[in-house]
Amino acid sequence: MHFKNLKNWFLPISICILLGFLSSCRKDKALTTGGEVVFSVDTLMFDTVFTAQGSATRKVKIYNPQKEKLNITSIRMRKGANSAYRLNINGIAGTEVKDVELAGQDSVWVFAAVTVDPTDENSPFVENDELVVTLNGKEFAIPFIAYGQNAYYIVDSVLQTQTWLTDKPYVIIRNAYVDESQTLTIPAGARVYVHQDSRLFVIGTLKINGTKTDSVVFQGDRLDPLVWIGDYIDLPGQWGGIYFFQQSYNNEINYAVFKNGGAPTANPFGEGNIQGATIQVDPDTVQNGIPKLRLNNTVIRSSLGYGVLAYKSSVNAQNCRIVECGAECVAAFQGGKYNFTYCTIGTFGSQYLSHSDNISMALLNYYPISQSDYISGNLDATITNCIVYGSLENEALFLERSGATMAVTLNNNLLKVNEPFGSFVVDNNNIKNQDPMYVDQAKDDYHLQAGSPAASAGIVIPSITSDLDGMLRGNPPSIGCFQVQ
């Protein structure tokens, strides 16, 4: 070959070699800023229900969707050495693996194991942690959830007619749904723990049949003290609440305790107005003459949001204590029919709950859409022998707008108010702005001291002969859920 021809071939060959080299360099170049990783699942569930100490292993894949390779700073468990989980990545075991190289559009398996002793009553019902991937200073994480203690676990379940047992607790994870025209019965002695951001949705009917000596208790599933902020026993918002749909009817709750609920949760239905409330009741569309919800001898306390929230519904409550809520303890919008008798209602605030804006009780015959627009509905409420009292200057509010009727009858209550009632309020023998003299509401003791203005200030209700403690009512009786002895 002539040298001239050789030169003609050499230039394009050299260019091709150079382009190939540069292409190879680009392919091997790692992202030093930005980028992301994608997980094969949104939550890693270890859903084995243990009856004896044992281990479970699951796996999750981490994807690199970019063409460039990634230098992952670390893959670790959020709780580090305190995690119940163990990892194995590329043959390296521990709770953290550093400097993981992941080629472009490639993936790596993460194997995770957990060991559970279900007989350890000091362990939580649910072992929570997060798998955290740190890439270029940014964290990507997915939750790990494992069943801890031996219990009945209800995970995203649609419940048909059934009666729960009392030999083991029930733990609700990611919501439970009482199906339409079905009835869930929870007997005395049942224990119900609800995972954070989870709820019990009732489309059918709920019957809670606690007794004076054996209440049914709903609370969050975190039982390990000192995990969050000191003693979190009264930390509000550990779970969502109970939500009653429009189709639901004839619900009854007897001798139950709901504590530390009211967390705002995601709406699994994509529509509706699910609020942060321990109990929320949708409009009564059945209207069969029976209250949509009857609350008897029940305690609702330490709710991050509302205690009882109702929209154009029907609720009867007697001998109930609804206290220490971040929003109103009792709120009704767009009307409805309500009857509260012998109830103690109010918030004083604590280190976990600010009580500066939301009063203790608000009943409105409308639902505000904006500052000027609203939807109205007829409201008929009777409040008898109740205490509505807290740390604000005004704790009870009854508001009316045109377009619907408003009728509120107040009989022998003790109320903290600083404004006159509207003409739609019947004011019968109510005590105003006098301290009820609780024993110690800061320690959740709402019994009344001797000499309380609520003592012997009520009106006799023949159908209610005892108080929340089961003590006989006097003649005349005390106002509130407890009789002064």
Side-chain angles (χ1 to χ4, degrees), residues 43 45-49 125-126 145-147 151-159 164 170-177 193 195 198-199 221:
T43 301
M45 293 283 295
F46 295 73
D47 53 0
T48 300
V49 179
F125 284 106
V126 179
I145 298 176
Y147 298 163
Y152 296 108
Y153 289 89
I154 309 295
V155 184
D156 263 340
S157 298
V158 177
L159 307 178
W164 282 1
Y170 283 80
V171 181
I172 297 175
I173 301 174
R174 287 182 167 180
N175 306 318
Y177 311 82
Y193 298 87
H195 196 51
S198 298
R199 289 181 183 270
D221 62 6

Side-chain angles (χ1 to χ4, degrees), residues 1-8:
M1 178 180 294
H2 292 289
F3 180 73
K4 181 179 179 181
N5 293 334
L6 182 61
K7 285 197 304 179
N8 291 339

Side-chain angles (χ1 to χ4, degrees), residues 237-303:
Q238 295 181 36
W239 59 289
I242 299 181
Y243 185 100
F244 295 93
F245 280 84
Q246 294 188 34
Q247 305 96 311
S248 180
Y249 65 96
N250 202 21
N251 300 284
E252 189 166 355
I253 298 175
N254 298 291
Y255 284 106
V257 176
F258 301 92
K259 55 185 180 180
N260 307 330
T265 62
N267 186 342
F269 308 99
E271 58 184 21
N273 188 24
I274 299 176
Q275 298 290 314
T278 294
I279 291 180
Q280 181 172 338
V281 192
D282 267 1
D284 183 354
T285 57
V286 177
Q287 297 183 346
N288 59 0
I290 300 173
K292 187 181 185 75
L293 173 63
R294 286 174 288 181
L295 286 168
N296 303 314
N297 303 294
T298 289
V299 175
I300 301 170
R301 66 177 179 85
S302 193
S303 176

Side-chain angles (χ1 to χ4, degrees), residues 36-279:
E36 65 174 348
V37 295
V38 179
F39 301 101
S40 57
V41 294
D42 58 5
T43 301
L44 197 62
M45 293 283 295
F46 295 73
D47 53 0
T48 300
V49 179
F50 297 99
T51 57
Q53 182 165 329
S55 298
T57 302
R58 299 288 185 270
K59 60 184 178 180
V60 57
K61 187 179 288 187
I62 302 174
Y63 292 96
N64 173 12
Q66 289 84 205
K67 293 182 179 180
E68 299 86 354
K69 74 175 180 180
L70 301 178
N71 290 326
I72 296 174
T73 304
S74 72
I75 303 173
R76 62 185 175 88
M77 298 310 302
R78 177 83 69 185
K79 293 182 181 178
N82 295 321
S83 179
Y85 298 89
R86 307 175 303 281
L87 302 177
N88 191 301
I89 305 168
N90 291 335
I92 303 174
T95 56
E96 181 176 13
V97 177
K98 296 182 177 181
D99 302 323
V100 178
E101 185 176 293
L102 187 54
Q105 297 181 334
D106 201 355
S107 61
V108 61
W109 281 108
V110 176
F111 294 88
V114 62
T115 300
V116 173
D117 180 2
T119 63
D120 182 2
E121 294 184 355
N122 293 320
S123 68
F125 284 106
V126 179
E127 289 283 3
N128 283 298
D129 206 343
E130 284 186 316
L131 178 71
V132 182
V133 176
T134 302
L135 171 66
N136 295 328
K138 185 177 180 180
E139 290 186 350
F140 301 85
I142 60 167
F144 278 21
I145 298 176
Y147 298 163
Q149 293 188 46
N150 196 14
Y152 296 108
Y153 289 89
I154 309 295
V155 184
D156 263 340
S157 298
V158 177
L159 307 178
Q160 304 303 304
T161 294
Q162 59 186 269
T163 299
W164 282 1
L165 305 175
T166 59
D167 58 328
K168 291 186 295 187
Y170 283 80
V171 181
I172 297 175
I173 301 174
R174 287 182 167 180
N175 306 318
Y177 311 82
V178 181
D179 206 358
E180 189 169 2
S181 302
Q182 305 298 307
T183 299
L184 171 63
T185 302
I186 303 179
R191 295 162 291 161
V192 184
Y193 298 87
V194 189
H195 196 51
Q196 65 183 60
D197 299 336
S198 298
R199 289 181 183 270
L200 173 61
F201 290 94
V202 182
I203 307 173
T205 300
L206 175 66
K207 300 286 189 182
I208 297 179
N209 297 326
T211 64
K212 169 63 184 68
T213 57
D214 219 349
S215 297
V216 173
V217 179
F218 278 73
Q219 65 184 64
D221 62 6
R222 294 297 298 270
L223 303 181
D224 41 339
L226 305 178
V227 170
W228 294 346
I229 312 172
D231 184 353
Y232 74 99
I233 291 173
D234 286 318
L235 187 66
Q238 295 181 36
W239 59 289
I242 299 181
Y243 185 100
F244 295 93
F245 280 84
Q246 294 188 34
Q247 305 96 311
S248 180
Y249 65 96
N250 202 21
N251 300 284
E252 189 166 355
I253 298 175
N254 298 291
Y255 284 106
V257 176
F258 301 92
K259 55 185 180 180
N260 307 330
T265 62
N267 186 342
F269 308 99
E271 58 184 21
N273 188 24
I274 299 176
Q275 298 290 314
T278 294
I279 291 180

